[in-house]
């Protein structure tokens, strides 16, 4: 678990699974979620195990989230933006994508 | 869209990439720097501008290295190189066309996504060596440096009970930094063998050429001791336990088996070069036995075996931020020479003072590398159910069985059981895979080889592929 | 160097070699399988995994019949191999499409299918044409792009996981006591009494029967025992995406979805020699076509590309032959190593071990290239 140290910076609010989270600009989405106490990021693609951030540097692909409707976003590499809608990544990710 | 052309494209804006940009711009080259991170600074100085601006007291506490680095970032930003951040390189073609995608969704139509270069400098740094233990995929188990990144780039620190496990200078550094930030460390599981110091002693005289590193190291050890962190030695196994989250860490030390509660387990077995791009380009690599990793074969200027492709910084050999920076300057001088902007004698003249400093900065490496030699027991997990490929969920036992079936190379094993086929493109399992195959066949990883790396080195959508110029 | 004696030596651990090796041991022969461990992707690790009939055998009706026999035997064959090894091949007799874009492609396809029917010796070439609407009805989970004009459909076609197939053959072979020797590069073959002496730098081997199934090396090795089997490489590039839900449970020439949910696209046809690089330009062509067929796949992540070398005879049809000069030496090569695996393992051993002659089998002899 993590906590935020006090810091300056422009306030930003994002939406995670329908919850409003407050954070500041200049943070990655992964950092913002961890700082708000969120640990569970996604289900693993093969057996649906719970997974969370591992490396924080773009290597492990464990931090994948659905951001603004787009799945598979590497959240440790993407900065928060006001109003971003974020969801946990489920598997498989195209269930309702493609009906005829 | 037209493909913009540059004299030099630098991939990575860490110490190596930034230094190379400054020096090559100084020789009048047209330079582009690409980085997948949103801000400049590389892994060590992640988000440093933000830190300096918004958390100045903490920035100051980080010391002289950080104020110097802040100066380098400013020189880099003002050097006149084009700099595109938040863009990941996913393919480089033989004709030196570099293809990128934006990391943030919905940005792709705003700028070109392919660039052509006369020369390419790869300065993509290092990554943590994967340390597979039972349960390491549980939320709450992380790479040690991840927590450092969170602290420095976002002001986020662990709360609850924290256990650190592994070995290496960064583990000590991060432990002390956590203590400074008021985090309680409930156990440090030191996996370094107890005779390591003895083995490293012969290299001590050379290391004394840069005593500041040793003083720093001794200070960190002292801090750990005096702060009362329980340090466990002679660690033989570690297991992360929990269902949805990490709850406990069970370990066997020289004192027997113990289980401690934990909210966070931070693992560390040193860092290894990020060879994804040099492998993609088919550069020749060699096995570096002392540190048990592959590195590109480089000449004294950073040139690889592939014409037009050079390497600087930790992705050539892990040597720390100072050496990385210096190697960036050197590679840039050579690029300027190769493109006719600098005569050979001028290049040599300018390089000579940098080389002298480089030599000094490298003096402590043999000591550190011997002191923290990676231990095979932490690379090749004993427990056969330990996950090796986190993406495709392949464990040690499956890999061993496949080797016994006659698959003697990483590519063959991969083709049979999918280890290395997931999103991370083998970054998290390739080294372990080669080590396990080597162990099973009783040969060296040098003779087993490495997974073949192909584009895309980071996944792109099909839409992004077809719309790339 | 000492030599190791066995009944039959198979040279080549690709899908053809191992399917034969498995079949031979099942038919009672002791077998050593020699394989050169190479980093370059062999066709067997690069292919698309179709069990495919509908376009095969143009100009050689016997081959079309052989393919149908093979696919019809696949369910029995895969069930027994799975049972024996406990592994899953993920074979499905889904039926297969060849999907057409635009009227011109559709017209060409109609004509091709008609020609195949005319050539068919019993007139029962079971491929039908579907309109766009009929095709969409069969694909309720995935919308067709506007350019799709129709498709041909063949009920015999199916898909298998080609890598599982390869692994399972190895398991089955070794389970039955087969001796698999990776890292054994055959450099020389000599006549040895009534049998053969096969030399690798590590070890020599002796056997009464010898099967050469060495992919692109088949020409060279066959030559050593008096057979002229011309083969040449043709590069095919393939792409694979992340996993997604099951949207497309059919086989087609250029698009398929694996049991794991990954989509695969392929494969190009390039005469670039012995070289297995991938190139963005070609990959774009493959994916553009796939996205014209199924535009909704646009947001899927591409995780991997690769290329492999097809092993092609001049007419792209198989070669099955026994050396006239050195009886007991056989050569087998085909560009349908997956599709034909069922017969290679369950039927060809009768020919190799017992000299059984199948009807009109002679059409597969490479002397057809000498005219
Ligand atoms: C978290 C962390 C903390 C560290 N702390 C210290 C420390 O305190 N002291 C110390 O001496 N060393 C430290 N190190 C080691 C230090 O990072 C390196 O020695 C130094 O940063 C190497 O510099 P570099 O320029 O070679 O690479 P890096 O600083 O790693 O920079 C590489 C850059 O390349 C980018 N990149 C990588 N792949 C791609 C791609 N495909 N496309 C686009 N861009 C890409 C990355 O985003 C990164 O910004 C630390 C390492 C880590 C990971
Ligand atoms: C892109 C692509 C897609 C394809 N799609 C399909 C499909 O959907 N369905 C289908 O049925 N077929 C398909 N094929 C064709 C199929 O893959 C081949 O027919 C089949 O793999 C050929 O197998 P092989 O064993 O003859 O050759 P290979 O797989 O090339 O194996 C030859 C083996 O011989 C070994 N060898 C070579 N020389 C020596 C030596 N001197 N000593 C010892 N060993 C040696 C090699 O190391 C290798 O292991 C496809 C092919 C490609 C390239
Ligand atoms: S946490 Fe590893 S890639 Fe984001």
């Amino acid at each position: 678990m993590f906590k935020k140290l006090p810091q300056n910076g422009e306030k930003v609010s994002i939406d995670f699974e329908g919850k409003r989270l407050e954070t500041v600009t200049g943070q990655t989405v992964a950092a913002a979620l961890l700082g708000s106490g969120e640990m569970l990021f996604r289900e693993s693609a093969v057996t649906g195990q719970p997974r969370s951030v591992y490396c924080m540097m773009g290597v492990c692909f464990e931090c994948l989230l659905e951001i603004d409707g787009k799945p598979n976003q590497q959240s440790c590499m993407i900065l928060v933006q006001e109003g971003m809608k974020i969801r946990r990544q489920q598997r498989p990710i195209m269930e309702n994508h493609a009906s005829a | 869209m037209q493909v913009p052309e540059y004299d030099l494209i630098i991939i990575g804006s860490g110490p190596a990439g930034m230094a190379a940009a400054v020096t090559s711009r100084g020789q009048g080259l047209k330079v582009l720097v690409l980085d997948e991170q949103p801000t400049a600074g590389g892994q060590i100085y992640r988000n440093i501008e933000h830190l300096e601006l918004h958390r100045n007291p903490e920035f100051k506490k980080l010391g002289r290295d950080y104020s110097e680095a802040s100066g380098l970032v400013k020189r880099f930003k003002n050097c006149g190189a084009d700099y595109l951040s938040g863009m990941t390189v996913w393919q480089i073609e033989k004709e030196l066309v570099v293809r990128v995608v934006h990391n943030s969704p919905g940005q792709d139509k705003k700028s070109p996504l392919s660039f052509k270069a006369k020369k390419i400098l790869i300065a993509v740094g290092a990554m943590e060596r994967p340390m597979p233990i039972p349960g390491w995929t549980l939320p709450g188990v992380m790479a040690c440096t991840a927590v450092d990144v969170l602290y420095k780039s976002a002001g986020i620190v662990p709360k609850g009970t924290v256990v650190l496990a592994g070995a290496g200078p960064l583990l000590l550094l991060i432990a002390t930094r956590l203590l400074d930030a008021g985090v309680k460390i409930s156990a440090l599981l030191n996996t370094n063998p107890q005779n390591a110091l003895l083995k490293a002693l012969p290299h001590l005289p050379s290391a004394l050429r840069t005593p500041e590193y040793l003083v720093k190291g001794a200070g960190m050890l002292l801090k750990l001791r005096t702060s009362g962190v329980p340090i466990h030695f002679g660690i033989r196994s570690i297991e992360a336990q929990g269902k949805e989250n990490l709850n406990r860490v069970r370990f066997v030390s020289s004192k027997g088996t113990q289980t401690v509660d934990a909210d966070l387990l931070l693992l560390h077995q040193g860092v290894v070069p990020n060879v994804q791009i040099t492998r993609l380009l088919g550069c020749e690599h060699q096995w570096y036995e002392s540190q048990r990793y592959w590195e590109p074969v480089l000449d004294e200027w950073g040139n690889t075996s592939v014409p037009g492709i050079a390497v600087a910084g930790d992705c050539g050999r892990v040597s720390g931020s100072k050496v990385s920076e210096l190697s960036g300057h050197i590679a840039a001088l050579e690029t300027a020479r190769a493109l006719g902007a600098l005569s050979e004698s001028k290049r040599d003249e300018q390089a000579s003072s940098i080389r002298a400093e480089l030599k000094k900065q490298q003096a402590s490496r043999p000591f550190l590398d011997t002191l923290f030699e990676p231990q095979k027991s932490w690379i090749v997990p004993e427990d056969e159910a330990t996950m090796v490929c986190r993406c495709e969920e392949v464990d040690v036992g499956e890999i061993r069985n496949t080797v016994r079936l006659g698959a003697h190379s990483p590519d063959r094993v991969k083709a049979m059981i999918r280890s290395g086929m997931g999103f991370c493109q083998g970054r998290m399992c390739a080294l372990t895979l080669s080590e396990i195959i080597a162990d099973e066949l009783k040969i060296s990883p040098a003779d087993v080889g490495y997974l073949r790396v192909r584009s895309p080195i980071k996944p792109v959508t099909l839409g992004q592929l077809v719309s790339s110029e | 160097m000492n030599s190791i004696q066995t009944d039959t030596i198979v040279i080549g651990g690709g899908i053809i070699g191992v399917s034969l090796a498995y079949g031979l041991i099942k038919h009672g022969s002791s077998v050593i399988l020699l394989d050169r461990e190479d980093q370059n992707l062999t066709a067997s690790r690069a292919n698309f995994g179709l069990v495919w009939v509908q376009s095969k055998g143009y100009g050689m009706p016997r081959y079309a019949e052989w393919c149908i026999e093979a696919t019809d035997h696949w369910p029995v064959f895969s069930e027994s191999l799975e049972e024996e090894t406990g592994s899953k091949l993920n074979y499905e007799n889904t039926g297969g499409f060849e999907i057409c874009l635009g009227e011109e492609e559709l017209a060409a396809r109609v004509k091709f299918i008609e020609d195949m029917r005319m050539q068919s010796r019993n007139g029962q070439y079971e491929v039908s044409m579907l309109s766009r609407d009929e095709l969409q009805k069969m694909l309720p989970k995935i919308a067709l792009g506007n350019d799709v004009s129709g498709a041909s459909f063949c009920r015999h076609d199916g898909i298998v996981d080609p890598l599982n197939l390869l692994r399972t053959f190895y398991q089955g072979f070794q389970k039955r006591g087969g001796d698999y020797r990776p890292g054994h590069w055959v450099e020389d073959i000599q006549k040895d009494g009534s049998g053969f002496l096969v030399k690798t730098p590590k070890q020599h081997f002796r056997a009464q029967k010898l099967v050469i199934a060495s992919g692109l090396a088949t020409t060279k090795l066959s030559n050593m025992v008096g057979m002229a089997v011309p083969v040449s490489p043709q590069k095919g590039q393939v792409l694979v995406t992340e996993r997604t839900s099951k949207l497309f449970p059919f086989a087609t020439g250029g698009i398929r979805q694996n049991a794991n949910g990954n989509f695969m696209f392929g494969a190009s046809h390039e005469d670039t020699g012995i070289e297995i690089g991938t190139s963005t330009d070609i990959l774009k062509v493959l994916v553009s076509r796939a996205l014209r067929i199924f535009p909704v796949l646009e947001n899927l992540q591409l995780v991997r590309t690769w290329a492999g070398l097809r092993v092609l005879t001049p007419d792209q049809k198989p070669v099955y032959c026994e050396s006239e000069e050195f009886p007991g030496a056989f050569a087998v090569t085909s560009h349908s190593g997956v599709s034909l695996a069922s017969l290679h393992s369950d039927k060809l051993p009768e020919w190799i071990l017992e000299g059984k002659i199948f009807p009109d089998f002679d059409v597969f002899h490479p002397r057809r290239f000498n005219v």
Side-chain angles (χ1 to χ4, degrees):
Chain A
M1 302 297 158
F2 292 89
K3 64 177 184 220
K4 281 182 264 199
L5 297 174
Q7 57 184 294
N8 309 320
E10 202 183 310
K11 295 249 175 312
V12 181
S13 66
I14 56 175
D15 178 301
F16 178 61
E17 296 282 342
K19 268 186 290 190
R20 206 177 126 102
L21 305 181
E22 299 288 345
T23 178
V24 291
T25 50
Q27 305 225 321
T28 61
V29 172
L33 294 190
L34 292 173
S36 308
E38 299 294 342
M39 281 302 284
L40 177 61
F41 275 54
R42 67 181 188 106
E43 296 176 330
S44 71
V46 180
T47 60
Q49 294 178 348
R51 293 286 174 92
S52 185
V53 165
Y54 185 80
C55 73
M56 267 316 275
M57 55 181 284
V59 169
C60 71
F61 287 78
E62 293 289 8
C63 63
L64 299 182
L65 292 169
E66 188 185 306
I67 300 180
D68 289 337
K70 286 224 186 312
N72 297 314
Q73 301 301 309
Q74 234 179 337
S75 65
C76 71
M77 312 277 279
I78 297 173
L79 294 179
V80 289
Q81 273 164 30
E82 179 61 40
M84 248 182 188
K85 284 210 164 26
I86 300 158
R87 300 190 54 196
R88 291 199 176 95
Q89 172 128 337
Q90 316 279 333
R91 65 158 197 147
I93 48 99
M94 228 169 59
E95 208 66 82
N96 40 25
H97 226 126
S99 51
Chain B
M1 238 179 267
Q2 188 140 14
V3 178
E5 295 195 20
Y6 289 88
D7 292 326
L8 172 64
I9 293 180
I10 299 171
I11 305 170
S13 62
M18 291 190 294
V22 171
T23 297
S24 53
R25 281 295 302 145
Q27 301 302 328
L29 302 187
K30 190 177 179 214
V31 179
L32 170 67
V33 179
L34 297 166
D35 198 307
E36 60 181 349
Q37 290 296 339
T39 54
Q43 299 308 345
I44 170 164
Y45 304 121
R46 276 277 280 275
N47 218 6
I48 185 171
E49 293 167 290
H50 187 267
L51 184 67
E52 187 175 9
L53 195 65
H54 294 292
R55 294 160 58 206
N56 198 262
E58 289 161 77
F59 172 75
K60 292 218 167 104
K61 229 164 71 183
L62 284 164
R64 208 183 70 200
D65 287 353
Y66 282 74
S67 55
E68 280 176 17
S70 161
L72 177 59
V73 172
K74 291 191 180 88
R75 276 181 286 141
F76 163 59
K77 288 283 184 78
N78 291 323
C79 76
D82 287 347
Y83 166 51
L84 294 171
S85 63
M87 284 192 157
T88 299
V89 172
W90 61 273
Q91 158 75 318
I92 300 178
E93 256 127 90
K94 282 198 294 288
E95 302 76 24
L96 304 194
V97 174
V98 180
R99 298 182 187 272
V100 299
V101 286
H102 283 273
N103 288 327
S104 294
Q107 305 266 316
D108 277 353
K109 295 199 172 65
K110 289 187 191 155
S111 57
L113 297 168
S114 301
F115 306 92
K116 198 167 167 10
K118 294 195 183 111
K119 299 275 169 192
I120 293 177
L121 179 66
I122 300 161
V124 293
M127 53 172 269
E128 272 202 47
R129 179 197 303 279
M131 181 182 168
I133 57 162
W136 72 315
T137 55
L138 279 172
V141 183
M142 282 187 183
C144 193
T145 49
V147 168
D148 197 47
V149 168
L150 282 167
Y151 169 66
K152 289 191 291 200
S153 73
I156 284 166
V157 294
K159 76 171 187 207
T161 45
V162 180
V163 176
L164 272 74
L170 274 175
L171 184 82
L172 293 179
L173 177 74
I174 290 165
T176 50
R177 212 168 262 158
L178 289 176
L179 291 173
D180 283 340
V183 174
K184 191 175 165 305
I185 299 174
S186 62
L188 194 155
L189 314 181
N190 182 354
T191 63
N192 219 24
Q194 271 145 321
N195 63 355
L197 188 59
L198 209 64
K199 265 180 87 179
L201 275 183
H203 301 291
L204 191 60
S206 160
L208 285 168
R209 289 191 60 200
T210 45
E212 59 271 25
Y213 288 120
L214 297 180
V215 172
K216 214 168 143 187
M220 294 191 296
L221 281 173
L222 191 69
K223 178 156 189 121
L224 279 174
R225 286 281 157 83
T226 53
S227 63
V229 173
I231 304 180
H232 301 266
F233 295 91
I235 305 294
R236 284 200 286 274
S237 73
I238 304 172
E239 183 183 343
Q241 298 180 333
K243 218 169 144 35
E244 295 292 303
N245 265 307
L246 173 77
N247 299 127
R248 283 174 312 279
V249 177
R250 181 174 178 275
F251 60 93
V252 181
S253 73
S254 47
K255 297 209 178 105
T257 304
Q258 261 174 281
T259 305
V260 294
D261 287 341
D263 295 310
L264 215 51
L265 170 61
L266 305 177
L267 301 175
H268 186 73
Q269 282 299 320
V271 292
V272 301
N274 173 355
V275 293
Q276 219 71 11
I277 293 183
T278 45
R279 288 271 177 192
L280 170 75
L281 289 166
C283 302
E284 196 187 320
H285 287 69
Q286 64 196 10
W287 176 250
Y288 180 33
E289 177 66 26
S290 142
Q291 293 302 299
R292 301 195 84 87
Y293 59 56
W294 270 279
E295 56 183 20
V297 177
L298 305 177
D299 70 8
E300 55 170 348
W301 298 99
N303 291 308
T304 67
S305 63
V306 174
I309 309 290
V311 161
D314 272 6
C315 61
R317 172 174 289 187
V318 176
S319 313
S321 57
K322 282 277 184 314
V323 171
S324 296
E325 187 179 334
L326 296 166
S327 69
H329 289 302
I330 286 186
L333 291 174
E334 159 67 1
T335 307
R337 185 216 50 89
L339 294 175
L342 192 65
S343 73
E344 198 170 310
S345 58
K346 280 261 165 51
R347 174 201 67 178
D348 293 349
E349 193 187 311
Q350 296 195 24
S352 73
S353 61
I354 303 174
R355 282 199 196 286
E357 179 63 19
L358 197 59
K359 222 168 158 197
K360 190 176 150 213
Q361 292 293 340
Q362 283 167 332
S364 61
R365 264 296 134 185
F367 177 72
L368 283 179
D369 282 358
T370 320
L371 184 58
F372 296 112
E373 251 171 22
Q375 302 301 309
K376 210 168 125 192
S377 51
W378 295 105
I379 299 172
V380 178
E382 210 171 283
D383 180 337
E384 298 233 324
T386 310
M387 197 94 84
V388 173
C389 171
R390 301 169 58 110
C391 300
E392 293 292 325
E393 301 182 26
V394 181
D395 66 27
V396 179
E398 285 171 86
I399 294 171
R400 288 197 183 275
N401 284 336
T402 309
V403 179
R404 286 175 204 143
L405 209 54
H408 292 181
S409 72
D411 286 322
R412 289 215 160 182
V413 172
K414 168 179 166 174
M416 289 202 179
I417 52 172
R418 307 186 59 83
S419 47
M421 284 196 188
F423 259 86
C424 86
Q425 317 279 13
R427 284 169 175 80
M428 294 296 290
C429 69
L431 259 182
T432 320
L433 185 57
S434 298
E435 290 267 13
I436 296 173
I437 297 170
D439 187 63
E440 184 65 37
L441 297 175
K442 307 211 166 21
I443 57 179
S444 161
D447 300 321
V448 167
Y450 193 80
L451 281 177
R452 179 194 290 272
V453 174
R454 287 192 185 256
S455 88
I457 57 164
K458 290 225 171 169
V460 294
T461 65
L462 296 176
Q464 285 169 324
L465 170 72
V466 292
S467 60
S468 63
E469 302 90 21
Chain C
M1 206 183 277
N2 281 341
S3 62
I4 297 178
Q5 179 85 37
T6 189
D7 297 346
T8 310
I9 291 170
V10 178
I11 308 176
I15 197 73
I16 295 187
V18 73
S19 53
L20 289 165
Y22 168 76
L24 287 162
I25 207 165
K26 217 172 148 177
H27 281 76
S29 176
S30 68
V31 182
I32 292 176
L33 175 60
L34 301 176
D35 193 18
R36 180 177 104 184
E37 178 89 11
D38 48 4
Q39 290 296 319
N40 283 349
L41 278 188
T42 61
S44 303
R45 283 185 287 151
N47 78 77
F48 217 63
L50 300 182
V51 177
W52 194 245
V53 170
Q54 70 170 281
S55 309
K56 287 188 172 154
Y58 194 91
M60 193 195 269
R62 180 66 182 94
Y63 179 38
E65 289 158 17
W66 184 245
C67 289
I68 293 175
E69 188 181 344
T71 52
D72 286 351
H73 183 54
W74 249 92
V76 174
F77 153 74
S78 71
E79 209 183 297
S80 94
L81 186 57
E82 284 185 341
E83 198 172 313
E84 187 170 326
T85 56
S87 287
K88 284 210 84 60
L89 300 179
N90 295 321
Y91 165 71
E92 279 179 86
N93 176 208
T94 53
F97 302 116
E98 206 59 90
I99 298 177
C100 304
L101 291 171
E103 292 313 315
E104 212 172 297
E105 265 185 43
L106 188 64
R109 190 72 195 159
V110 170
K111 171 153 192 324
F112 178 86
I113 299 298
E114 212 33 61
D115 286 354
M116 287 287 285
R117 204 187 315 279
M118 299 284 285
Q119 290 178 12
S120 157
R121 297 198 294 189
N122 51 16
Q124 288 177 351
Y125 176 66
E126 291 177 273
V127 177
S128 51
M129 292 305 298
L130 302 175
S131 71
R132 182 195 152 88
D133 288 348
E134 287 165 325
L135 178 62
Q136 183 70 79
K137 274 211 192 80
M138 291 175 75
L139 300 173
K141 289 195 178 155
I142 188 164
L144 293 172
N146 293 333
D147 298 343
V148 174
S149 49
S152 55
F153 178 76
C154 170
R155 74 171 176 85
H156 294 281
D157 296 333
I159 46 182
V160 65
D161 182 327
L163 300 177
N164 282 13
L165 177 63
L166 196 58
R167 186 191 62 213
T168 306
F169 267 132
Y170 282 119
Q171 285 171 336
F173 177 63
Q174 276 163 267
K175 212 165 169 179
R176 285 179 175 264
D179 185 354
Y180 172 51
R181 304 262 176 153
H184 282 71
W185 185 332
V186 175
E187 288 182 331
D188 194 20
I189 308 171
Q190 287 166 10
K191 188 72 189 146
D192 171 47
S194 61
F196 302 91
L197 172 65
V198 176
K199 293 184 173 174
T200 79
K202 291 186 186 165
Q203 181 72 54
H204 293 177
F205 301 88
R206 283 172 209 274
Q208 286 303 307
K209 301 237 161 163
L210 172 68
V211 182
I212 297 164
S214 322
L216 289 167
T218 301
T219 304
K220 189 174 147 214
L221 295 177
S222 301
N223 235 320
M224 297 177 185
V225 281
M227 291 182 285
V229 183
V231 292
S232 57
Q234 184 192 59
K235 186 166 89 172
Q237 298 190 40
V238 180
L239 306 90
V240 67
T241 72
E242 63 176 309
R243 293 158 195 254
T244 186
S245 42
K246 256 299 191 219
L247 303 173
F248 182 59
F250 290 95
T252 60
I255 307 175
R256 64 162 290 189
Q257 196 175 10
N258 300 344
N260 295 323
N262 317 72
F263 267 91
M264 281 168 69
F265 309 105
S268 61
H269 299 262
E270 301 164 68
D271 294 315
T272 48
I274 305 281
E275 170 274 313
I276 52 168
T278 57
S279 53
T280 310
D281 291 344
I282 302 285
L283 297 171
K284 275 166 68 174
V285 172
L286 296 172
V287 173
S288 300
R289 180 175 176 92
L291 291 183
R292 281 172 74 197
I293 296 175
F294 297 132
V296 289
L297 300 183
E298 183 187 39
N299 286 328
L300 272 188
Q301 298 265 352
L302 168 68
V303 289
R304 180 74 173 176
T305 62
W306 67 83
L309 296 175
R310 295 183 183 84
V311 184
L312 293 184
T313 60
D315 63 3
Q316 312 202 352
K317 313 235 166 28
V319 161
Y320 302 115
C321 68
E322 179 173 6
S323 173
E324 277 147 26
E325 203 180 335
F326 301 106
F330 297 78
V332 175
T333 186
S334 159
H335 173 50
S336 299
V338 175
S339 312
L340 298 175
S342 57
L343 295 185
H344 288 172
S345 97
D346 287 359
K347 200 161 173 176
L348 283 194
E350 298 168 32
W351 165 61
I352 294 168
L353 296 177
E354 297 147 28
K356 184 164 175 186
I357 316 275
F358 308 119
D360 289 339
F361 206 56
D362 207 44
V363 298
F364 297 117
H365 197 283
R367 75 172 70 84
R368 68 183 187 269
F369 305 122
N370 297 339
V371 287

